Amino acid sequence: MGYKVEVLDGDWVRKTINPEAGYTKEERARHLRRVAWIARLLARNGVITLCSFVSPYRDVREEVRKIISEEVPFYEIYVKASLEEVIKRDPKGLYKKALKGEIKNFTGISDPYEEPERPDLVINTEEESVEESTKRLLDFILEKVGGEGYGQDNA
Amino acid sequence: MGYKVEVLDGDWVRKTINPEAGYTKEERARHLRRVAWIARLLARNGVITLCSFVSPYRDVREEVRKIISEEVPFYEIYVKASLEEVIKRDPKGLYKKALKGEIKNFTGISDPYEEPERPDLVINTEEESVEESTKRLLDFILEKVGGEGYGQDNA
């Protein structure tokens, strides 16, 4: 569609920008504040920036919202799945290890997950197919960028 | 001129993206590797990104060059001034403190400064006026971006 888009994903950011990030509440908060500033830099240059992070703490998400929305629009999207379901999926085998006590500070097992109270969009991955979720997310993004000056570059 | 431009400056990055950065060689290296990734993200989205950092170590500058030039053009610009001159200027009073031993790991005083060997541009601030330096830097940037797809946004 000609939009500039970046995906800042947790695994990628931990490999590149933030290789020393840990998993305690304070380390996660530092990590996400940093990502918030980077997303703000990208978005103010017209780049639609999707940030996919675990971000389990309500107060840290509020900090992130504050940093970003000082300058550009911020939307919280809750990609929802129950603990039972994510334990079943477990693509990296991490829940299995966490349940055995082999990983500390693991969200949902040995650390809390504070559900968003008023997310801008909920993607309920247990009730929708991947295709349906993708379409809803894309429709949401297109509706939002329409009015907010993200130029389509047709050069 | 319609170009998208960001300046990533040391003081600003230490206030926002990297508030916990220190000044030892290892901490500076981590700081600059992080900035390199952020500059790469911006530049690959067509943002001309000027990075102004002390960056005193040759091997760290090489690492930065490697990270960035994997994907986008990187140019090393040496903003040159002698130690005598920067001690005289000292706008923040930091050299005065460092000379008294009140600041550790201070480049040029208690830590090395490894001069660039083959910078892409040298701005000799003791021989040129600010206006001359600015013009030379701008001419250099315009020459480089001309052929490299940094779109001018006239929207």
Side-chain angles (χ1 to χ4, degrees):
Chain A
M1 295 179 188
Y3 289 107
K4 289 190 191 299
V5 180
E6 286 288 350
V7 178
L8 300 180
D9 177 71
D11 286 352
W12 184 82
V13 173
R14 284 176 181 272
K15 257 184 255 164
T16 56
I17 294 165
N18 213 11
E20 72 272 20
Y23 293 90
T24 65
K25 181 173 182 185
E26 189 39 53
E27 287 168 318
R28 285 177 190 274
R30 269 210 297 265
H31 182 56
L32 293 173
R33 279 193 293 264
R34 176 167 290 148
V35 170
W37 274 106
I38 297 166
R40 176 172 168 173
L41 270 177
L42 286 164
R44 79 182 184 195
N45 284 287
V47 181
I48 298 168
T49 307
L50 306 175
C51 299
S52 48
F53 292 87
V54 174
S55 58
Y57 298 99
R58 210 165 274 153
D59 58 348
V60 178
R61 289 195 304 264
E62 271 316 301
E63 272 192 85
V64 163
R65 176 190 289 272
K66 196 161 167 276
I67 291 169
I68 294 173
S69 61
E70 261 179 29
E71 191 169 9
V72 291
F74 170 88
Y75 301 103
E76 185 179 38
I77 297 171
Y78 177 20
V79 181
K80 191 173 179 178
S82 66
L83 184 58
E84 295 66 38
E85 175 67 17
V86 292
I87 288 173
K88 212 162 64 189
R89 292 181 192 166
D90 202 14
K92 300 180 203 161
L94 295 176
Y95 282 95
K96 208 172 166 186
K97 283 188 189 168
L99 286 166
K100 283 195 216 157
E102 292 170 19
I103 306 177
K104 277 184 197 172
N105 300 119
F106 199 84
T107 297
I109 307 295
S110 46
D111 252 18
Y113 180 75
E114 298 171 3
E115 203 170 353
E117 287 176 317
R118 283 177 300 280
D120 298 288
L121 178 67
V122 180
I123 300 285
N124 197 325
T125 64
E126 289 182 64
E127 292 175 8
E128 300 170 0
S129 67
V130 172
E131 289 68 29
E132 284 167 332
S133 294
T134 306
K135 186 175 180 322
R136 290 218 304 125
L137 178 59
L138 185 61
D139 286 349
F140 178 85
I141 294 170
L142 289 175
E143 181 202 316
K144 295 303 178 190
V145 296
E148 278 156 7
Y150 286 83
Q152 280 171 276
D153 179 8
N154 297 312
Chain B
M1 296 179 187
Y3 289 106
K4 289 190 190 299
V5 180
E6 285 289 348
V7 178
L8 300 180
D9 177 70
D11 285 352
W12 185 81
V13 173
R14 283 175 181 273
K15 257 184 254 163
T16 55
I17 295 166
N18 213 11
E20 71 273 19
Y23 294 90
T24 65
K25 181 173 181 185
E26 189 38 54
E27 288 168 317
R28 285 177 191 274
R30 269 210 298 264
H31 182 57
L32 292 174
R33 278 193 293 264
R34 177 167 289 149
V35 170
W37 274 105
I38 297 165
R40 177 173 167 173
L41 269 177
L42 286 164
R44 79 182 184 195
N45 284 289
V47 182
I48 297 167
T49 307
L50 307 174
C51 299
S52 49
F53 292 87
V54 173
S55 59
Y57 298 99
R58 210 164 274 153
D59 59 348
V60 178
R61 289 197 302 265
E62 272 315 301
E63 272 193 84
V64 163
R65 176 190 290 273
K66 197 161 165 276
I67 291 169
I68 294 173
S69 61
E70 261 179 30
E71 191 169 11
V72 291
F74 170 88
Y75 301 103
E76 185 179 38
I77 296 169
Y78 178 18
V79 181
K80 190 174 180 178
S82 65
L83 184 59
E84 296 65 39
E85 175 67 16
V86 292
I87 288 174
K88 211 162 66 188
R89 292 181 191 166
D90 202 13
K92 301 180 202 161
L94 295 176
Y95 282 94
K96 208 172 167 185
K97 284 188 188 167
L99 286 166
K100 282 195 219 160
E102 292 170 18
I103 306 176
K104 277 185 199 172
N105 301 119
F106 199 82
T107 297
I109 307 295
S110 46
D111 253 16
Y113 181 74
E114 298 171 3
E115 204 170 353
E117 288 174 318
R118 284 177 301 280
D120 298 287
L121 178 68
V122 180
I123 299 286
N124 197 324
T125 65
E126 289 181 63
E127 292 175 7
E128 300 171 0
S129 67
V130 172
E131 289 69 29
E132 284 165 333
S133 295
T134 305
K135 187 178 180 321
R136 289 218 305 126
L137 177 59
L138 185 60
D139 287 349
F140 179 85
I141 294 170
L142 289 175
E143 182 202 316
K144 295 302 178 190
V145 297
E148 280 156 2
Y150 286 84
Q152 280 172 275
D153 179 9
N154 297 312

mmCIF file of all heavy atoms in Angstrom, chain B residues 122-138:
data_model
loop_
_atom_site.group_PDB
_atom_site.id
_atom_site.type_symbol
_atom_site.label_atom_id
_atom_site.label_comp_id
_atom_site.label_asym_id
_atom_site.label_seq_id
_atom_site.Cartn_x
_atom_site.Cartn_y
_atom_site.Cartn_z
ATOM 1 N N VAL B 122 36.325 15.596 7.209
ATOM 2 C CA VAL B 122 36.902 16.230 8.400
ATOM 3 C C VAL B 122 36.386 17.666 8.465
ATOM 4 O O VAL B 122 36.449 18.398 7.483
ATOM 5 C CB VAL B 122 38.450 16.240 8.355
ATOM 6 C CG1 VAL B 122 39.013 16.907 9.619
ATOM 7 C CG2 VAL B 122 38.991 14.819 8.216
ATOM 8 N N ILE B 123 35.832 18.017 9.604
ATOM 9 C CA ILE B 123 35.395 19.398 9.838
ATOM 10 C C ILE B 123 36.405 19.976 10.834
ATOM 11 O O ILE B 123 36.389 19.624 12.010
ATOM 12 C CB ILE B 123 33.978 19.426 10.467
ATOM 13 C CG1 ILE B 123 32.929 18.776 9.551
ATOM 14 C CG2 ILE B 123 33.576 20.841 10.852
ATOM 15 C CD1 ILE B 123 32.526 19.584 8.352
ATOM 16 N N ASN B 124 37.290 20.821 10.337
ATOM 17 C CA ASN B 124 38.328 21.351 11.217
ATOM 18 C C ASN B 124 37.847 22.648 11.872
ATOM 19 O O ASN B 124 37.957 23.732 11.323
ATOM 20 C CB ASN B 124 39.622 21.575 10.449
ATOM 21 C CG ASN B 124 40.781 21.723 11.413
ATOM 22 O OD1 ASN B 124 40.616 22.295 12.502
ATOM 23 N ND2 ASN B 124 41.936 21.187 11.049
ATOM 24 N N THR B 125 37.337 22.498 13.082
ATOM 25 C CA THR B 125 36.639 23.627 13.720
ATOM 26 C C THR B 125 37.579 24.718 14.210
ATOM 27 O O THR B 125 37.123 25.779 14.604
ATOM 28 C CB THR B 125 35.780 23.134 14.909
ATOM 29 O OG1 THR B 125 36.663 22.612 15.915
ATOM 30 C CG2 THR B 125 34.786 22.080 14.471
ATOM 31 N N GLU B 126 38.883 24.459 14.177
ATOM 32 C CA GLU B 126 39.812 25.527 14.573
ATOM 33 C C GLU B 126 40.235 26.381 13.393
ATOM 34 O O GLU B 126 40.794 27.462 13.575
ATOM 35 C CB GLU B 126 41.053 24.929 15.253
ATOM 36 C CG GLU B 126 40.717 24.390 16.625
ATOM 37 C CD GLU B 126 41.952 23.824 17.311
ATOM 38 O OE1 GLU B 126 42.886 24.600 17.577
ATOM 39 O OE2 GLU B 126 41.974 22.615 17.578
ATOM 40 N N GLU B 127 40.003 25.888 12.195
ATOM 41 C CA GLU B 127 40.441 26.631 11.013
ATOM 42 C C GLU B 127 39.286 27.241 10.237
ATOM 43 O O GLU B 127 39.491 28.104 9.392
ATOM 44 C CB GLU B 127 41.255 25.710 10.086
ATOM 45 C CG GLU B 127 42.591 25.318 10.710
ATOM 46 C CD GLU B 127 43.359 24.301 9.868
ATOM 47 O OE1 GLU B 127 42.924 24.002 8.743
ATOM 48 O OE2 GLU B 127 44.384 23.810 10.373
ATOM 49 N N GLU B 128 38.057 26.739 10.532
ATOM 50 C CA GLU B 128 36.888 27.226 9.794
ATOM 51 C C GLU B 128 35.930 27.924 10.751
ATOM 52 O O GLU B 128 35.867 27.574 11.926
ATOM 53 C CB GLU B 128 36.109 26.052 9.184
ATOM 54 C CG GLU B 128 36.872 25.188 8.221
ATOM 55 C CD GLU B 128 36.087 23.925 7.849
ATOM 56 O OE1 GLU B 128 34.953 23.744 8.356
ATOM 57 O OE2 GLU B 128 36.616 23.127 7.076
ATOM 58 N N SER B 129 35.128 28.832 10.226
ATOM 59 C CA SER B 129 34.046 29.421 11.029
ATOM 60 C C SER B 129 32.902 28.411 11.105
ATOM 61 O O SER B 129 32.851 27.452 10.322
ATOM 62 C CB SER B 129 33.546 30.711 10.385
ATOM 63 O OG SER B 129 32.915 30.405 9.159
ATOM 64 N N VAL B 130 31.982 28.624 12.031
ATOM 65 C CA VAL B 130 30.805 27.757 12.143
ATOM 66 C C VAL B 130 30.046 27.753 10.814
ATOM 67 O O VAL B 130 29.576 26.706 10.354
ATOM 68 C CB VAL B 130 29.889 28.222 13.302
ATOM 69 C CG1 VAL B 130 28.571 27.457 13.299
ATOM 70 C CG2 VAL B 130 30.590 28.047 14.644
ATOM 71 N N GLU B 131 29.949 28.906 10.192
ATOM 72 C CA GLU B 131 29.224 29.017 8.913
ATOM 73 C C GLU B 131 29.904 28.170 7.828
ATOM 74 O O GLU B 131 29.235 27.469 7.069
ATOM 75 C CB GLU B 131 29.148 30.482 8.442
ATOM 76 C CG GLU B 131 28.213 31.361 9.272
ATOM 77 C CD GLU B 131 28.722 31.625 10.697
ATOM 78 O OE1 GLU B 131 29.969 31.628 10.911
ATOM 79 O OE2 GLU B 131 27.889 31.795 11.606
ATOM 80 N N GLU B 132 31.232 28.254 7.762
ATOM 81 C CA GLU B 132 31.960 27.455 6.768
ATOM 82 C C GLU B 132 31.783 25.951 7.034
ATOM 83 O O GLU B 132 31.551 25.170 6.110
ATOM 84 C CB GLU B 132 33.457 27.807 6.781
ATOM 85 C CG GLU B 132 33.778 29.141 6.099
ATOM 86 C CD GLU B 132 35.193 29.651 6.435
ATOM 87 O OE1 GLU B 132 35.728 29.306 7.523
ATOM 88 O OE2 GLU B 132 35.745 30.405 5.614
ATOM 89 N N SER B 133 31.918 25.566 8.305
ATOM 90 C CA SER B 133 31.765 24.146 8.658
ATOM 91 C C SER B 133 30.368 23.651 8.300
ATOM 92 O O SER B 133 30.197 22.550 7.763
ATOM 93 C CB SER B 133 31.997 23.935 10.156
ATOM 94 O OG SER B 133 33.321 24.222 10.505
ATOM 95 N N THR B 134 29.364 24.454 8.621
ATOM 96 C CA THR B 134 27.980 24.073 8.353
ATOM 97 C C THR B 134 27.769 23.874 6.855
ATOM 98 O O THR B 134 27.166 22.886 6.422
ATOM 99 C CB THR B 134 27.022 25.168 8.865
ATOM 100 O OG1 THR B 134 27.302 25.399 10.232
ATOM 101 C CG2 THR B 134 25.564 24.753 8.706
ATOM 102 N N LYS B 135 28.308 24.800 6.078
ATOM 103 C CA LYS B 135 28.141 24.700 4.623
ATOM 104 C C LYS B 135 28.833 23.433 4.088
ATOM 105 O O LYS B 135 28.271 22.707 3.275
ATOM 106 C CB LYS B 135 28.701 25.951 3.934
ATOM 107 C CG LYS B 135 28.383 25.939 2.433
ATOM 108 C CD LYS B 135 28.849 27.152 1.682
ATOM 109 C CE LYS B 135 28.492 27.052 0.182
ATOM 110 N NZ LYS B 135 28.646 25.717 -0.411
ATOM 111 N N ARG B 136 30.028 23.148 4.577
ATOM 112 C CA ARG B 136 30.748 21.965 4.113
ATOM 113 C C ARG B 136 29.993 20.678 4.470
ATOM 114 O O ARG B 136 29.915 19.741 3.679
ATOM 115 C CB ARG B 136 32.164 21.935 4.689
ATOM 116 C CG ARG B 136 33.050 23.024 4.049
ATOM 117 C CD ARG B 136 34.471 22.549 3.806
ATOM 118 N NE ARG B 136 35.078 22.035 5.018
ATOM 119 C CZ ARG B 136 35.620 20.828 5.097
ATOM 120 N NH1 ARG B 136 35.640 20.020 4.057
ATOM 121 N NH2 ARG B 136 36.173 20.446 6.236
ATOM 122 N N LEU B 137 29.455 20.644 5.685
ATOM 123 C CA LEU B 137 28.698 19.466 6.128
ATOM 124 C C LEU B 137 27.432 19.303 5.280
ATOM 125 O O LEU B 137 27.122 18.204 4.811
ATOM 126 C CB LEU B 137 28.338 19.603 7.613
ATOM 127 C CG LEU B 137 27.491 18.482 8.214
ATOM 128 C CD1 LEU B 137 28.192 17.134 8.083
ATOM 129 C CD2 LEU B 137 27.181 18.768 9.688
ATOM 130 N N LEU B 138 26.712 20.391 5.079
ATOM 131 C CA LEU B 138 25.476 20.346 4.293
ATOM 132 C C LEU B 138 25.768 19.905 2.864
ATOM 133 O O LEU B 138 25.066 19.042 2.309
ATOM 134 C CB LEU B 138 24.792 21.714 4.319
ATOM 135 C CG LEU B 138 23.418 21.779 3.645
ATOM 136 C CD1 LEU B 138 22.429 20.831 4.305
ATOM 137 C CD2 LEU B 138 22.875 23.212 3.683
#
